[in-house]
Amino acid sequence: MMLEVVSEARSHGGRQLVLRHGSRATGTPMTFSLFLPPQAEQGRVPLVTYLSGLTCTHANVTDKGEYRAACAAHGLAFLAPDTSPRGEGVHDEEGWDIGLGAGFYVDATQAPWSANYRMWTYVTEELPALIAADFPILDMGRQAITGHSMGGHGALTVALRHPGRFRAVSAFAPIVAPSEVPWGEKAFSRYLGDDRASWARHDAVALLKSGARTADILIDIGTGDPFFAEQLTPERIERAAAAAGQPLSLRRQEGYDHSYFFISTFMAEHLAWMTERLR
């Protein structure tokens, strides 16, 4: 798989890349961004993967996430994939919470979605293998993962189903129990069909209840988030983690909403917290 450099810019002494390649998993071109800190010029650096939320591409966090200064200070590479396949022939439906920009980090099993919507395979297998091969300065033995909203759901489920791969997991306003809220029910019913057992494999609360465990989890959520009660339901993961003995720090940030103003405010804290666990 050939990587095409879409753009490159210097930032905080490092390199901000945007890259494109043809994906075997999705059958489409895929674009992602990768920040390499200045320490990458001297030796191997740990990798933080960020999974974005509904309606987003790689560009949202790349342009608005304010992560580069902290990544440069701590020597962290920062990877931001897209949220869905895109291109001619890729199925879509009306509504911003399904289809393009809303892949939910699952491999769809239901037609017509199953032709291209294989984001689980893309973010857990294809993309990590691709960047490890093309950027040997990335230390794939020291990884952390984070994400926002739908991407917070993705980060939690990817980590819970890959114990040992990630030394730290964080999330900004994640959908912790998608099987039980409207966003997840809509997406899972279309992508995965009516078998709720398959839904549980992509539900952080259900995974914790079934015995899955991961490294330390840090979650921030704003009390002013309009989706707090109906879609995010943080109390569900608090109860499940407590019952499971899963380390979890869930912080309710007074007055913050669901936007990148919220994410960028706490991004540096999350990256510093990860750095302690990536040493």
Side-chain angles (χ1 to χ4, degrees):
M1 289 175 285
M2 293 290 293
L3 273 179
E4 171 193 355
V5 178
V6 177
S7 66
E8 179 174 351
R10 294 292 288 182
S11 182
H12 295 278
R15 300 164 62 203
Q16 178 63 67
L17 301 165
V18 176
L19 302 148
R20 183 186 296 124
H21 69 106
S23 168
R24 295 192 185 99
T26 68
T28 67
M30 295 295 289
T31 302
F32 64 93
S33 73
L34 178 66
F35 177 70
L36 299 174
Q39 293 87 341
E41 297 178 5
Q42 306 300 322
R44 303 184 79 201
V45 295
L47 176 68
V48 175
T49 298
Y50 176 93
L51 302 182
S52 293
L54 290 164
T55 76
C56 293
T57 70
H58 71 281
N60 296 74
V61 70
T62 306
D63 294 347
K64 299 185 289 187
E66 299 184 19
Y67 57 83
R68 278 174 288 268
C71 284
H74 297 301
L76 302 174
F78 192 96
L79 172 68
D82 203 347
T83 55
S84 78
R86 300 176 194 272
E88 185 176 353
V90 175
H91 185 68
D92 193 20
E93 286 185 9
E94 289 189 14
W96 55 271
D97 54 355
I98 193 72
L100 299 183
F104 267 84
Y105 305 103
V106 304
D107 282 353
T109 58
Q110 305 300 300
W113 306 101
S114 55
N116 303 108
Y117 285 78
R118 295 180 51 81
M119 292 302 296
W120 180 265
T121 295
Y122 181 71
V123 300
T124 64
E125 298 178 18
E126 183 178 25
L127 184 57
L130 176 66
I131 62 166
D134 280 64
F135 296 94
I137 47 80
L138 299 176
D139 185 348
M140 303 302 281
R142 290 189 294 157
Q143 292 191 61
I145 190 166
T146 185
H148 170 231
S149 193
M150 178 186 72
H153 136 75
L156 293 169
T157 56
V158 167
L160 285 164
R161 287 177 54 188
H162 293 84
R165 181 185 293 192
F166 302 97
R167 297 192 187 181
V169 187
S170 84
F172 301 88
I175 309 168
V176 300
S179 298
E180 303 178 66
V181 300
W183 278 342
E185 289 175 334
K186 179 177 181 178
F188 287 1
S189 64
R190 286 163 171 75
Y191 296 150
L192 303 175
D194 296 330
D195 178 11
R196 284 185 171 258
S198 67
W199 297 16
R201 300 181 71 242
H202 295 283
D203 183 305
V205 169
L207 287 167
L208 285 170
K209 290 179 178 179
S210 69
R213 302 290 182 269
T214 187
D216 289 354
I217 300 174
L218 170 64
I219 293 175
D220 276 327
I221 184 169
T223 61
D225 191 317
F227 307 114
F228 188 105
E230 183 181 24
Q231 306 282 9
L232 307 180
T233 62
E235 69 283 353
R236 286 191 168 112
I237 198 166
E238 284 182 309
R239 292 194 298 263
Q246 166 66 52
L248 167 67
S249 175
L250 194 152
R251 310 186 303 187
R252 290 167 171 80
Q253 303 292 357
E254 186 65 31
Y256 283 89
D257 61 15
H258 201 69
S259 71
Y260 270 88
F261 295 112
F262 157 64
I263 298 166
S264 63
T265 299
F266 299 101
M267 178 65 80
E269 288 185 25
H270 281 234
L271 293 171
W273 177 85
M274 290 176 179
T275 299
E276 293 179 2
R277 289 151 178 81
L278 288 167
R279 290 195 175 105

